[in-house]
Amino acid sequence: MQLVFATNNLNKLKEVQSLIPQHIKLLSLKDIGCFEDVPETQNTIAGNAIQKAEYIKAHYGYDCFADDTGLEVLALNNEPGVYSARYAGEQRDSEDNMNLLLANLKDKASRQAQFKTVVALHLNGNLETFTGICKGEITTEKHGEKGFGYDPIFKAEGYTKTFAEISLDEKNKIGHRGKAVKQLVDFLQSLR
């Protein structure tokens, strides 16, 4: 089986490749010659994942899956949510996003948050979605060098270290993307 993972994010690609079984050949957008920005104009995380998968299927003809992820912070009415990547502006800078989030949480008592990933699979003319959630909290300062995005300020429930301080294997076991991709893999295995 061959599937396109509709992302240009090399960190996400690496994370997901480590979760996909060997019999599934994973292609990136670069592999299929897609260099344009795939639209993400929906107002929900699921909507964006579906839009990206449908775009690749319609424009390139490949069976594919796409994901969208958002960080939802309870005290900020679930912000940044669908706007997580561009929370601090269109430059999509992780440092700027984390700094803005920490500033917006400065006077808040609750730091509860959750990462939410929705994976949309376009396969054989059918569309399926899989959702993974990882609950936790936002730290008061950045810790760790691993990971990407908000990882240095997110600590999963039951953990004393941020996502940026734990291994990729550990993050995949407990993390939102790992949970959603595991559901995707289970679904694909059920088709064999």
Side-chain angles (χ1 to χ4, degrees):
M1 180 186 287
Q2 179 174 280
L3 276 177
V4 173
F5 179 25
T7 187
N8 283 312
N9 184 322
L10 296 178
N11 290 309
K12 268 190 197 182
L13 189 61
K14 181 180 170 190
E15 204 171 276
V16 169
Q17 273 176 328
S18 70
L19 297 167
I20 297 287
Q22 296 295 322
H23 74 275
I24 298 171
K25 183 178 182 194
L26 204 58
L27 300 175
S28 68
L29 291 179
K30 183 180 171 186
D31 292 334
I32 63 166
C34 176
F35 298 102
E36 71 264 25
D37 281 337
V38 178
E40 292 181 74
T41 57
Q42 303 303 305
N43 61 3
T44 65
I45 293 167
N48 275 340
I50 292 167
Q51 181 181 27
K52 289 189 280 188
E54 289 181 338
Y55 181 90
I56 295 305
K57 185 66 177 174
H59 290 80
Y60 293 89
Y62 287 92
D63 283 334
C64 64
F65 65 95
D67 80 318
D68 197 37
T69 296
L71 176 63
E72 300 173 333
V73 181
L74 193 63
L76 301 177
N77 298 315
N78 288 331
E79 283 184 9
V82 74
Y83 303 106
S84 293
R86 54 191 181 278
Y87 188 48
E90 288 303 317
Q91 74 278 14
R92 295 172 174 248
D93 184 87
S94 294
E95 288 297 317
D96 293 348
N97 290 339
M98 285 187 286
N99 291 337
L100 178 59
L101 185 63
L102 291 173
N104 288 344
L105 276 176
K106 193 172 174 227
D107 299 324
K108 305 285 185 193
S110 169
R111 301 185 79 81
Q112 283 180 284
Q114 68 179 22
F115 267 121
K116 179 180 183 179
T117 292
V118 176
V119 172
L121 171 69
H122 215 301
L123 182 66
N124 303 327
N126 296 313
L127 185 71
E128 302 282 342
T129 60
F130 310 94
T131 302
I133 290 175
C134 181
K135 295 184 179 296
E137 64 181 33
I138 303 300
T139 58
T140 54
E141 52 191 41
K142 300 171 202 162
H143 297 281
E145 301 296 319
K146 299 175 192 154
F148 60 98
Y150 295 91
D151 288 355
I153 60 170
F154 182 82
K155 190 168 46 173
E157 272 182 1
Y159 279 73
T160 57
K161 294 180 176 181
T162 68
F163 269 1
E165 295 175 292
I166 63 176
S167 71
L168 179 59
D169 281 349
E170 189 73 15
K171 182 182 173 190
N172 280 338
K173 282 181 191 153
I174 63 165
H176 47 292
R177 189 170 296 105
K179 289 176 181 176
V181 172
K182 183 180 182 328
Q183 293 170 44
L184 166 73
V185 168
D186 290 346
F187 176 79
L188 293 172
Q189 302 280 45
S190 76
L191 301 177
R192 290 181 83 189

